[in-house]
């Protein structure tokens, strides 16, 4: 504390006396100077956000330094078109080598159908919320990601595939596994195969 009074205010640089002092980030402020740098709202310990030597309300801080994009709104169901120009944020256009590809030749494994993968079982579009990947293809989790022989619902740990089709391990073993003595399905099993 310097001689002749208190600390210097982090906003106006004048002396701050004890009765009017607000402490934030190891700095002193007058109560009347403890305001958001952008919108000028009064701040307190629950609404302040500090960046470098600047103090903001949480809303302005979020607009200026928070994550950008869909899903980072200010409340439930909000979508703001405010890009933060009033906060000094400038937006750059991406360099030509960072633009999305316009390649019309999709990979051999991904069968595109209306902008999404095509399910090999039903032939319909598979969207992200219902997508399961198995045997190099995207399948519908409900109804299509099942054994081709018995119809049992599959998981990634119970899946076996052959020629692009998926099977439960039991059916796969019966249909494509080794045959003969000693290759039964359980302990002591003996299967007669033709």
């Amino acid at each position: 504390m310097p001689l002749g009074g208190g600390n210097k205010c982090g906003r106006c640089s004048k002396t701050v006396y004890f009765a009017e002092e607000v402490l934030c980030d190891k700095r002193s402020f007058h109560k009347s100077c403890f305001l958001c740098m952008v919108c000028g709202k009064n701040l307190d310990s629950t609404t302040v956000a500090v960046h470098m030597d600047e103090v903001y309300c949480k809303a302005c801080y979020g607009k200026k330094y928070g994550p950008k994009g869909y899903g980072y709104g200010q409340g439930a169901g909000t979508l703001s078109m405010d890009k933060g120009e009033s906060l000094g944020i400038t937006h750059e256009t991406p360099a030509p080598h960072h633009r999305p590809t316009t390649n019309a030749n999709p990979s051999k494994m991904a069968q595109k159908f209306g902008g999404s993968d095509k399910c090999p079982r039903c032939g319909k579009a598979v969207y992200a919320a219902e997508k399961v990947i198995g045997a190099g293809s995207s399948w519908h989790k409900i109804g299509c990601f099942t054994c081709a022989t018995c119809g049992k619902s599959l998981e990634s740990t119970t899946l076996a595939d052959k020629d692009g089709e998926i099977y439960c391990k039991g059916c796969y073993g019966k249909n494509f596994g080794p045959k003969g003595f000693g290759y039964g399905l359980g302990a002591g099993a003996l299967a007669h195969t033709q």
Side-chain angles (χ1 to χ4, degrees):
M1 189 181 288
L3 293 175
N7 297 318
K8 298 292 180 189
C9 177
R11 173 67 55 88
C12 70
S13 300
K14 294 181 182 176
T15 302
V16 180
Y17 296 100
F18 183 75
E20 59 186 356
E21 184 176 39
V22 176
L23 292 172
C24 177
D25 200 34
K26 300 179 184 174
R27 293 184 302 151
S28 296
F29 292 88
H30 294 106
K31 287 180 185 175
S32 60
C33 290
F34 196 51
L35 307 170
C36 175
M37 299 286 290
V38 176
C39 68
K41 288 182 184 175
N42 287 323
L43 301 173
D44 61 37
S45 63
T46 62
T47 60
V48 69
V50 180
H51 183 80
M52 309 275 282
D53 287 336
E54 300 172 337
V55 291
Y56 300 93
C57 68
K58 289 186 178 181
C60 290
Y61 177 86
K63 287 178 186 175
K64 190 165 184 172
Y65 300 109
K68 306 291 185 272
Y70 180 77
Y72 292 104
Q74 296 296 315
T78 63
L79 180 61
S80 173
M81 298 307 288
D82 181 6
K83 294 183 180 178
E85 284 88 1
S86 64
L87 304 173
I89 298 172
T90 57
H91 299 279
E92 299 175 15
T93 55
H97 64 280
H98 291 293
R99 296 195 183 189
T101 182
T102 56
N103 183 2
N105 185 13
S107 71
K108 200 160 111 175
M109 297 302 277
Q111 304 153 347
K112 294 294 179 189
F113 180 78
S116 60
D117 296 337
K118 182 178 166 187
C119 177
R121 182 70 43 88
C122 69
K124 295 181 181 174
V126 181
Y127 299 102
E130 58 191 356
K131 181 192 240 180
V132 178
I133 298 176
S137 298
S138 297
W139 304 75
H140 291 106
K141 172 77 173 155
I142 308 295
C144 295
F145 199 61
T146 58
C147 176
T149 304
C150 70
K152 179 180 174 183
S153 184
L154 299 173
E155 296 291 328
S156 61
T157 58
T158 61
L159 169 72
D161 68 281
K162 180 161 177 69
D163 300 327
E165 192 55 81
I166 55 175
Y167 303 91
C168 68
K169 289 187 177 182
C171 290
Y172 181 87
K174 286 179 193 174
N175 295 322
F176 307 110
K179 306 285 190 270
F181 181 75
Y183 290 104
L185 296 176
L190 179 62
H192 295 286
T193 58
Q194 307 283 316

